[in-house]
Amino acid sequence: MSLSRLAVTAARLTAAMAALAFATAASAQSSRADCERAYKPSVGQSGKDVVWVPTPDELVRRMLTMARVTPQDFVIDLGAGDGKIAIAAAKAPFGANSLGIEYNPDMVKLANCMVNVEGAASRTKIVQGDIFKEDFSRATVVTMYLLPELNLCVRHRVLAMRPGTRVTSHQFTMGDWEADETAEIEFRTAYLWIVPARVGGNWSLRDSAGLSFGVNLNQTFQKIGGEATVGGARQPLVGATLRGDELRFAFNDDKGVTRTFTGRINGNQLTGTLRAAGGGETTVNGSLQGQPRVGEWANMLSQCSRFYGR
């Protein structure tokens, strides 16, 4: 046998032995206690920006249920700790693909051991990283148990995500971005936000019956208001709501007829239906004139620059 073939054979043998060693180690880790023999965290231990306190199982389930997690979702947990939330998202009844981002490398090893113990390795993993540097924009659901300041300092990045992205937090809010839903479990609070589309600005709309009208929308987070202009007459919008990319409002036209719009935003385009009180329903298409007006609510707060090295 040539030296080169001997080298290849030796390399393959080494790789096989390494794989066998890994499989043996993984099979030996059959419980949480096995995982914790190498590293066992203590409640309240200091981390980079937070202390570690695990989220109770029942609250984890409530957070994921509030976010309506399904197998079609990609859940990213910010500050994953021992991987509890990412693992729960990957298992029944949720069945999502998930990723946890954790700064402490020892916790990362522990969390991935837990992933294997729970049989979730095909759907989830925990990576070592800084939540202020890692990209989590691909998530359809973001979960977190951080601190109030940290929530505020990822808020602008969350608000830049795809409209309809669900965000859920244990215990701490997003400041003046009001939650869309809250739940209480044994004196602990879970919060849910739906990332809103950016709709502020002047919209030009036309329905299938030939009615043309304009809508001027103002926006602060998911709170919206404004006025409609029909036939030169301006009327305030009534009951205007925005949930993700779903938009709804009502107004009186130039003949005094109340019309209700229900539709969706897709970038600078809008589609939906317009229903007249006591009348029929027409389809509506519209476009934003220029770029969305985005206020200070969408920007990074000045006190957050230290987390981003600015």
Side-chain angles (χ1 to χ4, degrees):
M1 183 179 293
S2 68
L3 289 176
S4 60
R5 292 184 64 187
L6 280 171
V8 170
T9 301
R12 288 176 176 172
L13 181 59
T14 300
M17 291 175 66
L20 178 61
F22 178 81
T24 302
S27 63
Q29 295 166 344
S30 58
S31 69
R32 182 182 185 95
D34 291 330
C35 293
E36 290 179 340
R37 286 195 181 97
Y39 176 75
K40 184 175 182 178
S42 57
V43 174
Q45 71 180 36
S46 296
K48 174 178 174 287
D49 301 304
V50 297
V51 297
W52 180 68
V53 178
T55 300
D57 292 343
E58 187 175 355
L59 192 62
V60 170
R61 288 191 292 271
R62 179 60 64 89
M63 290 167 67
L64 297 172
T65 300
M66 288 171 67
R68 296 170 177 81
V69 173
T70 74
Q72 286 69 53
D73 281 310
F74 181 34
V75 179
I76 296 184
D77 184 34
L78 304 183
D82 63 0
K84 175 184 285 192
I85 295 178
I87 291 169
K91 297 180 66 176
F94 307 108
N97 287 301
S98 62
L99 175 73
I101 301 173
E102 169 58 41
Y103 189 82
N104 183 334
D106 291 323
M107 289 290 273
V108 172
K109 292 176 184 177
L110 172 64
N112 280 311
C113 182
M114 298 296 188
V115 167
N116 288 321
V117 165
E118 294 290 338
S122 65
R123 303 192 70 87
T124 191
K125 66 178 179 178
I126 313 300
V127 299
Q128 195 278 328
D130 186 328
I131 63 171
F132 297 107
K133 297 178 181 177
E134 297 293 326
D135 180 11
F136 54 84
S137 62
R138 295 180 297 124
T140 59
V141 176
V142 175
T143 60
M144 53 193 180
Y145 181 20
L146 302 173
L147 287 173
E149 182 184 19
L150 305 189
N151 282 12
L152 288 176
C153 290
V154 297
R155 189 178 75 179
H156 65 287
R157 296 175 62 196
V158 168
L159 285 164
M161 296 176 74
R162 182 182 62 82
T165 300
R166 290 93 75 201
V167 185
T168 182
S169 169
H170 171 193
Q171 201 64 29
F172 300 116
T173 70
M174 291 270 199
D176 53 351
W177 182 12
E178 295 180 10
D180 291 284
E181 188 177 337
T182 62
E184 298 287 336
I185 300 288
E186 295 182 356
F187 307 106
R188 295 172 181 261
T189 306
Y191 298 92
L192 173 74
W193 297 264
I194 309 296
V195 174
R198 299 189 176 187
V199 300
N202 292 304
W203 293 81
S204 178
L205 297 91
R206 184 179 179 87
D207 79 349
S208 54
L211 175 68
S212 295
F213 60 102
V215 173
N216 180 29
L217 291 173
N218 52 65
Q219 176 181 14
T220 303
F221 302 111
Q222 75 273 45
K223 305 295 184 182
I224 60 170
E227 62 182 15
T229 302
V230 188
R234 295 182 176 180
Q235 296 289 343
L237 300 183
V238 177
T241 61
L242 178 65
R243 186 175 177 87
D245 62 356
E246 300 174 7
L247 177 65
R248 181 182 176 89
F249 57 79
F251 62 93
N252 291 330
D253 66 17
D254 53 341
K255 298 179 177 60
V257 176
T258 300
R259 296 177 180 266
T260 301
F261 171 83
T262 304
R264 290 184 177 274
I265 304 293
N266 183 9
N268 288 359
Q269 301 297 311
L270 172 156
T271 58
T273 60
L274 193 65
R275 181 182 294 275
E281 185 176 276
T282 57
T283 58
V284 175
N285 290 281
S287 59
L288 181 64
Q289 308 304 294
Q291 295 300 310
R293 291 195 302 262
V294 181
E296 289 295 318
W297 57 270
N299 296 336
M300 183 179 76
L301 300 177
S302 59
Q303 67 265 32
C304 299
S305 59
R306 67 187 182 90
F307 293 111
Y308 296 96
R310 300 178 186 176

